[in-house]
Amino acid sequence: MAVELLTRHPERLARVVAHEPVLVSLLPDAAEQHTFFSQVVSTFHRAGVDAAMAEMGAGCGEERGEEPDLSGLSPRMLATLSRVRGNSAFFLGRILGQFSAHAPDLAQLDASAGKLVPAAGWASYRLRLYRPAAWLAERYGVALAEFPGGHVGVVTHPREFALELGELLR
């Protein structure tokens, strides 16, 4: 996670665009957020990848009707997406629980906050993964950078997402 890298090694980074970071531990209802992600992990162990991913998508506010148009993607990118899908069991079983429970060292993050750009997708407004980015923007008194699409805007709107990211990194 780039935010954690920023807290530990800020000298190695010029800027971090934190797009909908799963830093739910920062939220006032952190216990509820942790329960949600724990339930997703339990669903994975009980009912498998598809059930857990559906539960996570619904709980994070993803609209199921907006399937990304993959027709313009290169064979290399399609292969990458296939590998990501193939890694879902590992992610759900071994990473999601710890990842979603992470709380950054705020004193360390405060010291490097000038390098942090909190960001969210416009379609995620007020949803579960939008909220930590908004919390960070409020804490540091900066505007929340807005990207096209939702949490996976990089897949649903790749060109527009890349253009916005390029602008923020300049």
Side-chain angles (χ1 to χ4, degrees):
M1 176 180 337
V3 173
E4 183 63 16
L5 183 60
L6 182 60
T7 64
R8 291 182 187 211
H9 302 286
E11 73 283 357
R12 294 185 180 188
L13 302 167
R15 178 166 295 153
V16 169
V17 178
H19 183 269
E20 300 188 20
V22 187
L23 296 174
V24 295
S25 293
L26 300 174
L27 301 175
D29 61 347
E32 179 183 323
Q33 303 303 320
H34 294 149
T35 298
F36 166 74
F37 285 107
S38 293
Q39 289 172 341
V40 170
V41 172
S42 294
T43 297
F44 162 69
H45 289 297
R46 186 182 69 259
V49 169
D50 290 338
M53 293 302 280
E55 182 177 350
M56 187 162 58
C60 290
E62 289 181 15
E63 291 186 29
R64 299 318 272 152
E66 185 187 347
E67 289 298 319
D69 177 11
L70 305 179
S71 63
L73 296 180
S74 69
R76 182 177 179 197
M77 181 56 83
L78 289 171
T80 298
L81 290 175
S82 178
R83 277 195 318 277
V84 168
R85 171 80 176 128
N87 292 330
S88 294
F90 183 82
F91 171 74
L92 291 164
R94 306 249 177 149
I95 296 173
L96 181 62
Q98 294 82 359
F99 186 70
S100 61
H102 176 71
D105 180 332
L106 287 177
Q108 293 289 337
L109 189 56
D110 290 349
S112 301
K115 296 181 176 187
L116 180 66
V117 179
W122 56 260
S124 297
Y125 183 67
R126 293 194 184 249
L127 297 177
R128 188 177 308 270
L129 299 177
Y130 172 95
R131 292 178 57 219
W135 187 95
L136 289 166
E138 184 176 327
R139 178 177 180 90
Y140 298 119
V142 298
L144 182 65
E146 189 173 271
F147 279 79
H151 187 65
V152 293
V154 69
V155 175
T156 60
H157 300 81
R159 183 179 176 353
E160 298 89 347
F161 195 99
L163 290 172
E164 182 63 28
L165 182 58
E167 286 298 315
L168 288 172
L169 292 175
R170 282 193 222 335

